[in-house]
Amino acid sequence: KAIPAQVRMISGSHDAQTSADVSNINSQFQLPDPAGKSGGACTASLLEVLYDIHNNGLDGKVSWVDLLRDMRDVLEDKGYEQIPQLTSSRMIDVSHPFAITPSSFDSSKNKKRAVLIGINYTGQSGELSGCHNDVKNISKYLREVQGFKKENVTILMDDGQHKEPTKANIIASYKKLVKDCKSGDVVFCHYSGHGGRLPDDNGDEDDGHDETLIPVDFEKNGQIRDDDLLNMLVNPMPKGVTMTCLMDCCHSGTVLDLPYRFTADGDLEEMEMNERVDFSDEFWSGFFATAAVAAVASKVDPPAEMMILGGGPNAIHEYSDTACCVIA
């Protein structure tokens, strides 16, 4: 199999969708807010569902399909049009129970690790305001409900208190995560910030665009492409690791380039092949199945006027397929 680890990603939108936001998570969503008044709609809806599951003693008893559809119900009730989506490194029976930590996890031999990234782009055009709260809420849930230890949770935020979420630091954090993990470990990765699209640079995207994460220093050092995430985080993650990712940003549907997909639009009952992944690519024939973290995101110089599509908090034109904000 091309991808050794069990990788699952929950995203808040298709590649063509922008991500919606909430201005006050306390008034619209029922979840703990450790410090602040805003957060991403995808993160908030997932946490509301997860806390409801936990508080009702249903941990390990709610299916993937019910989790995603409950997320969509929460979003619809609050007036958002986002469609939660699950992509995976292998076919999942979505009627089986959702779990961040599999029942086989052995705490005497293995660890739970997390990399949580929240970028408000403080002081920049297109500044957001709630991505830090998203990270704090996710961190609180992982520690208090899922049993993650603080020393195994890496947080990157542009708040002057944590390591800055620069392109180099994000790449280094993902590389270290892969290096530290071994079979049996559990991983959770969360990103809340801007997501975007750039013209495909290697011909592997049917729509002609790579989906991207946008670091705080993107103007100087460029964006992180989906191809880079596949090669630095997904592909080299050791066999036997269970990794769950939550991407709360625009155009996040295939940002990890995973081969299987389930969309909570009411039309699907099982996973399907992800038509946005190019299975003729050399990677999928297994040639890079043992590749390590050598493939690092290359520097991308943004054009003079770059369309940056805001996810996490405060996205503009939240139902638009074109632009949230334009950064000159």
Side-chain angles (χ1 to χ4, degrees):
K1 295 180 179 179
I3 299 176
Q6 173 80 7
V7 184
R8 305 85 56 89
M9 182 187 79
I10 296 173
S11 60
S13 59
H14 297 297
D15 289 340
Q17 279 189 303
T18 55
S19 177
D21 312 293
V22 294
S23 60
N24 189 321
I25 55 177
N26 278 337
S27 66
Q28 296 198 42
F29 294 92
Q30 300 172 6
L31 62 114
D33 178 14
K37 298 182 179 180
S38 60
C42 177
T43 299
S45 64
L46 176 62
L47 283 173
E48 179 169 331
V49 173
L50 290 178
Y51 275 112
D52 185 64
I53 290 171
H54 179 68
N55 293 336
N56 286 284
L58 297 175
D59 290 313
K61 299 178 182 178
V62 174
S63 69
W64 281 97
V65 63
D66 287 338
L67 174 83
L68 293 168
R69 289 177 178 170
D70 286 350
M71 282 180 66
R72 183 171 187 189
D73 288 344
V74 171
L75 289 165
E76 285 183 343
D77 287 346
K78 311 304 180 184
Y80 298 105
E81 296 181 355
Q82 290 173 265
I83 302 175
Q85 181 171 271
L86 168 69
T87 54
S88 177
S89 60
R90 60 203 64 186
M91 191 73 75
I92 293 176
D93 185 338
V94 292
S95 67
H96 285 181
F98 159 84
I100 292 173
T101 304
S103 58
S104 59
F105 178 77
D106 186 345
S107 60
S108 67
K109 298 179 180 179
N110 295 104
K111 293 183 178 181
K112 301 178 182 182
R113 308 176 189 274
V115 172
L116 313 179
I117 302 169
I119 313 177
N120 279 348
Y121 309 89
T122 305
Q124 298 187 50
S125 177
E127 181 174 346
L128 305 177
S129 66
C131 298
H132 299 166
N133 293 325
D134 285 349
V135 166
K136 292 173 183 177
N137 282 326
I138 287 290
S139 178
K140 181 180 176 69
Y141 171 79
L142 291 177
R143 288 183 286 106
E144 295 185 357
V145 177
Q146 292 292 330
F148 283 63
K149 295 182 179 179
K150 185 176 181 179
E151 60 266 28
N152 295 324
V153 176
T154 298
I155 294 177
L156 282 72
M157 295 195 297
D158 53 339
D159 62 350
Q161 301 176 27
H162 295 82
K163 183 177 292 187
E164 282 282 299
T166 63
K167 182 176 181 178
N169 285 343
I170 291 173
I171 290 172
S173 295
Y174 284 151
K175 290 175 66 175
K176 185 177 187 302
L177 178 68
V178 169
K179 182 179 179 181
D180 289 345
C181 281
K182 66 177 183 178
S183 180
D185 285 353
V186 169
V187 170
F188 194 94
C189 291
H190 175 233
Y191 174 87
S192 179
H194 278 305
R197 305 173 86 194
L198 289 173
D200 180 18
D201 64 350
N202 63 1
D204 69 341
E205 300 283 350
D206 286 342
D207 62 357
H209 290 87
D210 283 325
E211 287 67 49
T212 66
L213 303 183
I214 301 181
V216 69
D217 61 342
F218 72 94
E219 291 182 299
K220 180 179 179 181
N221 292 313
Q223 304 173 46
I224 300 175
R225 294 176 183 263
D226 50 8
D227 298 338
D228 301 317
L229 293 169
L230 178 69
N231 289 320
M232 79 170 77
L233 175 64
V234 174
N235 185 41
M237 187 62 71
K239 182 179 180 180
V241 172
T242 300
M243 179 165 69
T244 305
C245 301
L246 172 62
M247 296 297 188
D248 194 354
C249 59
C250 295
H251 306 287
S252 55
T254 61
V255 75
L256 294 186
D257 273 350
L258 298 173
Y260 301 102
R261 181 182 70 178
F262 175 82
T263 304
D265 56 7
D267 295 332
L268 295 178
E269 295 296 332
E270 59 186 19
M271 296 200 88
E272 61 182 6
M273 298 293 283
N274 190 350
E275 75 279 1
R276 288 184 176 272
V277 175
D278 180 11
F279 291 99
S280 66
D281 186 273
E282 190 178 17
F283 170 82
W284 294 109
S285 63
F287 287 104
F288 296 116
T290 58
V293 209
V296 176
S298 59
K299 178 177 177 179
V300 178
D301 294 320
E305 183 175 279
M306 185 195 75
M307 184 175 74
I308 170 174
L309 298 156
N314 293 342
I316 305 168
H317 307 308
E318 55 206 17
Y319 306 134
S320 168
D321 288 344
T322 54
C324 286
C325 46
V326 175
I327 293 188

